[in-house]
Amino acid sequence: MRPVRLATALATALVAALATATPSALATPSTRAATPVAANGQLTVCGTKLCNQNGKAVQLRGMSSHGTQWYPHCLTGGSLDALAGDWKADVLRVSTYVQEGGYETDPKKYTDLAHSLIEQATARGMYVIVDWHMLSPGDPHANLARARTFFTEIAKRHQGKSNVLYEIANEPSAVSWSRVKSYAEQIIPVIRNIDGNAPVLVGTRAWSSFGVSEGADEREVVNNPVKAANILYTFHFYAASHREEYLDTLARAAEKLPVFVTEFGTQNYAGEGANDFAMSQKYLDLMASKKISWVNWNFSDDHRSGAVFKTGTCDKGGPWTGTAPLKPAGVWIRERMRTADDF
């Protein structure tokens, strides 16, 4: 997500509690007959689609955390049970900010927190996207050494799992596609040398818009793809701001490239303001027709309209299920996530 977010006070004890969650707290909700991971196993890229262990194209639908340095208290046993069981999400995106008070301030703390959340998603049968949430500076090379360390440690801890996807650069900006591609071709082997099977998600130029937000389009990626297999390219949109030009770009790109929408909102590009559900539905219809997986921003109680829970829900420890604790965007996205998967 673009622009500045307000940080909330964060108790270290909350982080520690998440990192040391007990097995009972991680129990898979009994309400789910078959989890997404049980149904699909190891995912892989086949042509322009994301496919399951049987070679069937699948569409994952889920939620992104907010920055884990600000909202770990929104990611509890109860809220994750609700995401898996009540919302019927297939995937959780764990957003580890690099700057803005995140990873660079305490690498061990935020690596351990990401590890804990991966384990908790795994216990609930969900896929998990490990999101290296670089935002500012916009050149991913600025954090290349940190990224090497982070992905080495995470991949070593989780290399035996079939449910992990790696998003290596959230939203590159103000850099050329060749610069982003160079970064990807250095980080992908770091992961592949440890975990050879996990799909890798590559951020695209101009805040993961295939360059549209900086006057380009998907052709720069189509004509100069990353030299690696089993990868998808990411696209982000905020429906109230990103109109037909963005929608058309996504449609064209998905004909040529494997695409994963790892972040979107029904509001403006800052996750604020009025919801444009009509435009959002156009995007959802397109993504359904082309089997483009998606993750909505965000699973927190931030004051913005794009945070699904009403402000104060996380501080109170819920309630998490049903529509009562949700803002309008949360009600809307939960309803669409609960429809049956075509697995």
mmCIF file with all atom_site columns, all heavy atoms in Angstrom, residues 187-204:
data_model
loop_
_atom_site.group_PDB
_atom_site.id
_atom_site.type_symbol
_atom_site.label_atom_id
_atom_site.label_alt_id
_atom_site.label_comp_id
_atom_site.label_asym_id
_atom_site.label_entity_id
_atom_site.label_seq_id
_atom_site.pdbx_PDB_ins_code
_atom_site.Cartn_x
_atom_site.Cartn_y
_atom_site.Cartn_z
_atom_site.occupancy
_atom_site.B_iso_or_equiv
_atom_site.pdbx_formal_charge
_atom_site.auth_seq_id
_atom_site.auth_comp_id
_atom_site.auth_asym_id
_atom_site.auth_atom_id
_atom_site.pdbx_PDB_model_num
ATOM 1   N N   . ILE A 1 187 ? 17.733 -12.418 -5.668  1.00 0.00 ? 187 ILE A N   1
ATOM 2   C CA  . ILE A 1 187 ? 17.067 -12.947 -4.476  1.00 0.00 ? 187 ILE A CA  1
ATOM 3   C C   . ILE A 1 187 ? 16.439 -14.319 -4.725  1.00 0.00 ? 187 ILE A C   1
ATOM 4   O O   . ILE A 1 187 ? 16.444 -15.187 -3.846  1.00 0.00 ? 187 ILE A O   1
ATOM 5   C CB  . ILE A 1 187 ? 16.001 -11.952 -3.960  1.00 0.00 ? 187 ILE A CB  1
ATOM 6   C CG1 . ILE A 1 187 ? 16.689 -10.712 -3.375  1.00 0.00 ? 187 ILE A CG1 1
ATOM 7   C CG2 . ILE A 1 187 ? 15.110 -12.593 -2.902  1.00 0.00 ? 187 ILE A CG2 1
ATOM 8   C CD1 . ILE A 1 187 ? 17.579 -11.002 -2.170  1.00 0.00 ? 187 ILE A CD1 1
ATOM 9   N N   . ILE A 1 188 ? 15.887 -14.549 -5.904  1.00 0.00 ? 188 ILE A N   1
ATOM 10  C CA  . ILE A 1 188 ? 15.240 -15.846 -6.180  1.00 0.00 ? 188 ILE A CA  1
ATOM 11  C C   . ILE A 1 188 ? 16.198 -17.012 -5.930  1.00 0.00 ? 188 ILE A C   1
ATOM 12  O O   . ILE A 1 188 ? 15.812 -18.005 -5.286  1.00 0.00 ? 188 ILE A O   1
ATOM 13  C CB  . ILE A 1 188 ? 14.639 -15.871 -7.590  1.00 0.00 ? 188 ILE A CB  1
ATOM 14  C CG1 . ILE A 1 188 ? 13.441 -14.918 -7.667  1.00 0.00 ? 188 ILE A CG1 1
ATOM 15  C CG2 . ILE A 1 188 ? 14.202 -17.292 -7.969  1.00 0.00 ? 188 ILE A CG2 1
ATOM 16  C CD1 . ILE A 1 188 ? 12.905 -14.700 -9.066  1.00 0.00 ? 188 ILE A CD1 1
ATOM 17  N N   . PRO A 1 189 ? 17.461 -16.971 -6.390  1.00 0.00 ? 189 PRO A N   1
ATOM 18  C CA  . PRO A 1 189 ? 18.359 -18.105 -6.105  1.00 0.00 ? 189 PRO A CA  1
ATOM 19  C C   . PRO A 1 189 ? 18.621 -18.318 -4.618  1.00 0.00 ? 189 PRO A C   1
ATOM 20  O O   . PRO A 1 189 ? 18.868 -19.454 -4.194  1.00 0.00 ? 189 PRO A O   1
ATOM 21  C CB  . PRO A 1 189 ? 19.648 -17.710 -6.839  1.00 0.00 ? 189 PRO A CB  1
ATOM 22  C CG  . PRO A 1 189 ? 19.218 -16.772 -7.911  1.00 0.00 ? 189 PRO A CG  1
ATOM 23  C CD  . PRO A 1 189 ? 18.081 -16.002 -7.314  1.00 0.00 ? 189 PRO A CD  1
ATOM 24  N N   . VAL A 1 190 ? 18.556 -17.259 -3.817  1.00 0.00 ? 190 VAL A N   1
ATOM 25  C CA  . VAL A 1 190 ? 18.720 -17.410 -2.367  1.00 0.00 ? 190 VAL A CA  1
ATOM 26  C C   . VAL A 1 190 ? 17.649 -18.344 -1.820  1.00 0.00 ? 190 VAL A C   1
ATOM 27  O O   . VAL A 1 190 ? 17.929 -19.235 -1.008  1.00 0.00 ? 190 VAL A O   1
ATOM 28  C CB  . VAL A 1 190 ? 18.647 -16.028 -1.677  1.00 0.00 ? 190 VAL A CB  1
ATOM 29  C CG1 . VAL A 1 190 ? 18.601 -16.184 -0.158  1.00 0.00 ? 190 VAL A CG1 1
ATOM 30  C CG2 . VAL A 1 190 ? 19.821 -15.151 -2.086  1.00 0.00 ? 190 VAL A CG2 1
ATOM 31  N N   . ILE A 1 191 ? 16.406 -18.154 -2.287  1.00 0.00 ? 191 ILE A N   1
ATOM 32  C CA  . ILE A 1 191 ? 15.292 -19.002 -1.852  1.00 0.00 ? 191 ILE A CA  1
ATOM 33  C C   . ILE A 1 191 ? 15.384 -20.377 -2.494  1.00 0.00 ? 191 ILE A C   1
ATOM 34  O O   . ILE A 1 191 ? 15.249 -21.403 -1.824  1.00 0.00 ? 191 ILE A O   1
ATOM 35  C CB  . ILE A 1 191 ? 13.951 -18.323 -2.193  1.00 0.00 ? 191 ILE A CB  1
ATOM 36  C CG1 . ILE A 1 191 ? 13.821 -16.996 -1.426  1.00 0.00 ? 191 ILE A CG1 1
ATOM 37  C CG2 . ILE A 1 191 ? 12.772 -19.250 -1.891  1.00 0.00 ? 191 ILE A CG2 1
ATOM 38  C CD1 . ILE A 1 191 ? 12.690 -16.118 -1.911  1.00 0.00 ? 191 ILE A CD1 1
ATOM 39  N N   . ARG A 1 192 ? 15.632 -20.420 -3.794  1.00 0.00 ? 192 ARG A N   1
ATOM 40  C CA  . ARG A 1 192 ? 15.652 -21.682 -4.540  1.00 0.00 ? 192 ARG A CA  1
ATOM 41  C C   . ARG A 1 192 ? 16.719 -22.644 -4.033  1.00 0.00 ? 192 ARG A C   1
ATOM 42  O O   . ARG A 1 192 ? 16.533 -23.864 -4.066  1.00 0.00 ? 192 ARG A O   1
ATOM 43  C CB  . ARG A 1 192 ? 15.909 -21.399 -6.027  1.00 0.00 ? 192 ARG A CB  1
ATOM 44  C CG  . ARG A 1 192 ? 14.753 -20.751 -6.746  1.00 0.00 ? 192 ARG A CG  1
ATOM 45  C CD  . ARG A 1 192 ? 13.737 -21.808 -7.187  1.00 0.00 ? 192 ARG A CD  1
ATOM 46  N NE  . ARG A 1 192 ? 12.703 -21.151 -7.987  1.00 0.00 ? 192 ARG A NE  1
ATOM 47  C CZ  . ARG A 1 192 ? 11.537 -20.754 -7.529  1.00 0.00 ? 192 ARG A CZ  1
ATOM 48  N NH1 . ARG A 1 192 ? 11.247 -20.966 -6.262  1.00 0.00 ? 192 ARG A NH1 1
ATOM 49  N NH2 . ARG A 1 192 ? 10.653 -20.181 -8.317  1.00 0.00 ? 192 ARG A NH2 1
ATOM 50  N N   . ASN A 1 193 ? 17.845 -22.108 -3.564  1.00 0.00 ? 193 ASN A N   1
ATOM 51  C CA  . ASN A 1 193 ? 18.916 -22.976 -3.076  1.00 0.00 ? 193 ASN A CA  1
ATOM 52  C C   . ASN A 1 193 ? 18.538 -23.686 -1.785  1.00 0.00 ? 193 ASN A C   1
ATOM 53  O O   . ASN A 1 193 ? 19.193 -24.652 -1.390  1.00 0.00 ? 193 ASN A O   1
ATOM 54  C CB  . ASN A 1 193 ? 20.199 -22.164 -2.864  1.00 0.00 ? 193 ASN A CB  1
ATOM 55  C CG  . ASN A 1 193 ? 20.839 -21.728 -4.174  1.00 0.00 ? 193 ASN A CG  1
ATOM 56  O OD1 . ASN A 1 193 ? 20.591 -22.317 -5.224  1.00 0.00 ? 193 ASN A OD1 1
ATOM 57  N ND2 . ASN A 1 193 ? 21.666 -20.694 -4.117  1.00 0.00 ? 193 ASN A ND2 1
ATOM 58  N N   . ILE A 1 194 ? 17.494 -23.203 -1.134  1.00 0.00 ? 194 ILE A N   1
ATOM 59  C CA  . ILE A 1 194 ? 17.028 -23.824 0.108   1.00 0.00 ? 194 ILE A CA  1
ATOM 60  C C   . ILE A 1 194 ? 15.687 -24.521 -0.113  1.00 0.00 ? 194 ILE A C   1
ATOM 61  O O   . ILE A 1 194 ? 15.498 -25.668 0.285   1.00 0.00 ? 194 ILE A O   1
ATOM 62  C CB  . ILE A 1 194 ? 16.886 -22.754 1.212   1.00 0.00 ? 194 ILE A CB  1
ATOM 63  C CG1 . ILE A 1 194 ? 18.227 -22.045 1.435   1.00 0.00 ? 194 ILE A CG1 1
ATOM 64  C CG2 . ILE A 1 194 ? 16.370 -23.373 2.509   1.00 0.00 ? 194 ILE A CG2 1
ATOM 65  C CD1 . ILE A 1 194 ? 18.116 -20.779 2.261   1.00 0.00 ? 194 ILE A CD1 1
ATOM 66  N N   . ASP A 1 195 ? 14.754 -23.831 -0.723  1.00 0.00 ? 195 ASP A N   1
ATOM 67  C CA  . ASP A 1 195 ? 13.408 -24.348 -0.987  1.00 0.00 ? 195 ASP A CA  1
ATOM 68  C C   . ASP A 1 195 ? 13.183 -24.290 -2.494  1.00 0.00 ? 195 ASP A C   1
ATOM 69  O O   . ASP A 1 195 ? 12.857 -23.240 -3.049  1.00 0.00 ? 195 ASP A O   1
ATOM 70  C CB  . ASP A 1 195 ? 12.373 -23.503 -0.246  1.00 0.00 ? 195 ASP A CB  1
ATOM 71  C CG  . ASP A 1 195 ? 10.956 -24.053 -0.370  1.00 0.00 ? 195 ASP A CG  1
ATOM 72  O OD1 . ASP A 1 195 ? 10.720 -24.912 -1.251  1.00 0.00 ? 195 ASP A OD1 1
ATOM 73  O OD2 . ASP A 1 195 ? 10.086 -23.629 0.412   1.00 0.00 ? 195 ASP A OD2 1
ATOM 74  N N   . GLY A 1 196 ? 13.345 -25.409 -3.149  1.00 0.00 ? 196 GLY A N   1
ATOM 75  C CA  . GLY A 1 196 ? 13.275 -25.443 -4.605  1.00 0.00 ? 196 GLY A CA  1
ATOM 76  C C   . GLY A 1 196 ? 11.873 -25.469 -5.172  1.00 0.00 ? 196 GLY A C   1
ATOM 77  O O   . GLY A 1 196 ? 11.700 -25.340 -6.388  1.00 0.00 ? 196 GLY A O   1
ATOM 78  N N   . ASN A 1 197 ? 10.854 -25.618 -4.306  1.00 0.00 ? 197 ASN A N   1
ATOM 79  C CA  . ASN A 1 197 ? 9.492  -25.828 -4.810  1.00 0.00 ? 197 ASN A CA  1
ATOM 80  C C   . ASN A 1 197 ? 8.560  -24.639 -4.644  1.00 0.00 ? 197 ASN A C   1
ATOM 81  O O   . ASN A 1 197 ? 7.534  -24.563 -5.335  1.00 0.00 ? 197 ASN A O   1
ATOM 82  C CB  . ASN A 1 197 ? 8.865  -27.030 -4.094  1.00 0.00 ? 197 ASN A CB  1
ATOM 83  C CG  . ASN A 1 197 ? 9.592  -28.319 -4.389  1.00 0.00 ? 197 ASN A CG  1
ATOM 84  O OD1 . ASN A 1 197 ? 10.006 -28.573 -5.517  1.00 0.00 ? 197 ASN A OD1 1
ATOM 85  N ND2 . ASN A 1 197 ? 9.788  -29.131 -3.359  1.00 0.00 ? 197 ASN A ND2 1
ATOM 86  N N   . ALA A 1 198 ? 8.856  -23.728 -3.752  1.00 0.00 ? 198 ALA A N   1
ATOM 87  C CA  . ALA A 1 198 ? 7.910  -22.659 -3.432  1.00 0.00 ? 198 ALA A CA  1
ATOM 88  C C   . ALA A 1 198 ? 7.796  -21.648 -4.561  1.00 0.00 ? 198 ALA A C   1
ATOM 89  O O   . ALA A 1 198 ? 8.801  -21.184 -5.094  1.00 0.00 ? 198 ALA A O   1
ATOM 90  C CB  . ALA A 1 198 ? 8.338  -21.950 -2.155  1.00 0.00 ? 198 ALA A CB  1
ATOM 91  N N   . PRO A 1 199 ? 6.577  -21.264 -4.943  1.00 0.00 ? 199 PRO A N   1
ATOM 92  C CA  . PRO A 1 199 ? 6.417  -20.173 -5.907  1.00 0.00 ? 199 PRO A CA  1
ATOM 93  C C   . PRO A 1 199 ? 6.969  -18.870 -5.330  1.00 0.00 ? 199 PRO A C   1
ATOM 94  O O   . PRO A 1 199 ? 6.854  -18.609 -4.129  1.00 0.00 ? 199 PRO A O   1
ATOM 95  C CB  . PRO A 1 199 ? 4.898  -20.089 -6.104  1.00 0.00 ? 199 PRO A CB  1
ATOM 96  C CG  . PRO A 1 199 ? 4.379  -21.431 -5.699  1.00 0.00 ? 199 PRO A CG  1
ATOM 97  C CD  . PRO A 1 199 ? 5.277  -21.864 -4.584  1.00 0.00 ? 199 PRO A CD  1
ATOM 98  N N   . VAL A 1 200 ? 7.550  -18.064 -6.193  1.00 0.00 ? 200 VAL A N   1
ATOM 99  C CA  . VAL A 1 200 ? 8.077  -16.754 -5.798  1.00 0.00 ? 200 VAL A CA  1
ATOM 100 C C   . VAL A 1 200 ? 7.277  -15.676 -6.519  1.00 0.00 ? 200 VAL A C   1
ATOM 101 O O   . VAL A 1 200 ? 7.004  -15.785 -7.725  1.00 0.00 ? 200 VAL A O   1
ATOM 102 C CB  . VAL A 1 200 ? 9.580  -16.636 -6.126  1.00 0.00 ? 200 VAL A CB  1
ATOM 103 C CG1 . VAL A 1 200 ? 10.077 -15.211 -5.868  1.00 0.00 ? 200 VAL A CG1 1
ATOM 104 C CG2 . VAL A 1 200 ? 10.392 -17.637 -5.305  1.00 0.00 ? 200 VAL A CG2 1
ATOM 105 N N   . LEU A 1 201 ? 6.891  -14.641 -5.782  1.00 0.00 ? 201 LEU A N   1
ATOM 106 C CA  . LEU A 1 201 ? 6.093  -13.539 -6.310  1.00 0.00 ? 201 LEU A CA  1
ATOM 107 C C   . LEU A 1 201 ? 6.990  -12.318 -6.472  1.00 0.00 ? 201 LEU A C   1
ATOM 108 O O   . LEU A 1 201 ? 7.624  -11.870 -5.520  1.00 0.00 ? 201 LEU A O   1
ATOM 109 C CB  . LEU A 1 201 ? 4.946  -13.219 -5.352  1.00 0.00 ? 201 LEU A CB  1
ATOM 110 C CG  . LEU A 1 201 ? 4.097  -14.422 -4.906  1.00 0.00 ? 201 LEU A CG  1
ATOM 111 C CD1 . LEU A 1 201 ? 3.092  -14.008 -3.857  1.00 0.00 ? 201 LEU A CD1 1
ATOM 112 C CD2 . LEU A 1 201 ? 3.405  -15.054 -6.091  1.00 0.00 ? 201 LEU A CD2 1
ATOM 113 N N   . VAL A 1 202 ? 7.037  -11.808 -7.698  1.00 0.00 ? 202 VAL A N   1
ATOM 114 C CA  . VAL A 1 202 ? 7.949  -10.726 -8.048  1.00 0.00 ? 202 VAL A CA  1
ATOM 115 C C   . VAL A 1 202 ? 7.173  -9.419  -8.187  1.00 0.00 ? 202 VAL A C   1
ATOM 116 O O   . VAL A 1 202 ? 6.264  -9.318  -9.026  1.00 0.00 ? 202 VAL A O   1
ATOM 117 C CB  . VAL A 1 202 ? 8.691  -11.045 -9.359  1.00 0.00 ? 202 VAL A CB  1
ATOM 118 C CG1 . VAL A 1 202 ? 9.617  -9.892  -9.749  1.00 0.00 ? 202 VAL A CG1 1
ATOM 119 C CG2 . VAL A 1 202 ? 9.492  -12.347 -9.224  1.00 0.00 ? 202 VAL A CG2 1
ATOM 120 N N   . GLY A 1 203 ? 7.526  -8.411  -7.399  1.00 0.00 ? 203 GLY A N   1
ATOM 121 C CA  . GLY A 1 203 ? 6.891  -7.112  -7.509  1.00 0.00 ? 203 GLY A CA  1
ATOM 122 C C   . GLY A 1 203 ? 7.205  -6.452  -8.844  1.00 0.00 ? 203 GLY A C   1
ATOM 123 O O   . GLY A 1 203 ? 8.296  -6.633  -9.391  1.00 0.00 ? 203 GLY A O   1
ATOM 124 N N   . THR A 1 204 ? 6.265  -5.701  -9.372  1.00 0.00 ? 204 THR A N   1
ATOM 125 C CA  . THR A 1 204 ? 6.470  -5.012  -10.634 1.00 0.00 ? 204 THR A CA  1
ATOM 126 C C   . THR A 1 204 ? 6.640  -3.505  -10.391 1.00 0.00 ? 204 THR A C   1
ATOM 127 O O   . THR A 1 204 ? 6.403  -3.011  -9.304  1.00 0.00 ? 204 THR A O   1
ATOM 128 C CB  . THR A 1 204 ? 5.311  -5.282  -11.609 1.00 0.00 ? 204 THR A CB  1
ATOM 129 O OG1 . THR A 1 204 ? 4.069  -4.842  -11.030 1.00 0.00 ? 204 THR A OG1 1
ATOM 130 C CG2 . THR A 1 204 ? 5.222  -6.770  -11.936 1.00 0.00 ? 204 THR A CG2 1
#
